[in-house]
Amino acid sequence: MIFHMCLVGIGGFFGAICRYLITSYFQRILPRRIPLGTLAVNWIGSFLLGYLLGITEDNELTLLLGTGFMGAFTTFSTFNLETVKLLTSKEKTAGFIYIAITYTGGILLAFLGLAAGKIVKGV
């Protein structure tokens, strides 16, 4: 039990660092109305989580990378905050576009990642 919690914590530590680096990079090079950094980490995380679930059945690897790393790497709380800010400002259209592309892209990429993982695994 303690070992499993440590796996989640270690994965979360590195996931949060990677999220910070990616979102900071996107905010610096591409300042836009739609927060591309958050969109990027959520899309990347959706694909990678699908891929992980397609390629492995190892519970400990899933805890480390799926629950820990991807749980901290993706950020739907930030997505919700940014969405509310867009919808309560003069950027309502950007807010609705952000919602649509985040969820549509995230679900599609999770399925693509799952399929890719199963192909690699040979299922």
Side-chain angles (χ1 to χ4, degrees):
M1 174 81 163
I2 299 282
F3 177 67
H4 291 156
M5 291 188 314
C6 288
L7 287 175
V8 172
I10 291 166
F13 174 79
F14 289 105
I17 291 170
C18 289
R19 179 186 72 222
Y20 172 78
L21 294 172
I22 289 173
T23 55
S24 296
Y25 174 76
F26 273 93
Q27 288 170 348
R28 190 173 53 252
I29 66 162
L30 294 170
R32 303 266 189 233
R33 286 182 288 179
I34 293 178
L36 297 178
T38 303
L39 181 64
V41 295
N42 286 337
W43 276 4
I44 292 166
S46 294
F47 178 84
L48 291 176
L49 185 57
Y51 183 80
L52 175 67
L53 294 177
I55 201 166
T56 189
E57 295 176 14
D58 183 325
N59 185 47
E60 291 172 350
L61 187 61
T62 302
L63 285 171
L64 175 69
L65 297 178
T67 305
F69 187 90
M70 293 304 155
F73 182 72
T74 58
T75 175
F76 285 94
S77 58
T78 301
F79 160 73
N80 287 320
L81 175 64
E82 293 165 344
T83 300
V84 168
K85 285 181 180 180
L86 288 169
L87 293 175
T88 57
S89 71
K90 295 180 181 180
E91 304 291 340
K92 287 185 184 7
T93 302
F96 287 117
I97 290 169
Y98 187 40
I99 292 168
I101 63 177
T102 295
Y103 283 110
T104 303
I107 292 168
L108 177 65
L109 286 164
F111 278 113
L112 288 173
L114 183 63
K118 286 184 177 188
I119 289 169
V120 169
K121 185 178 178 181
V123 174

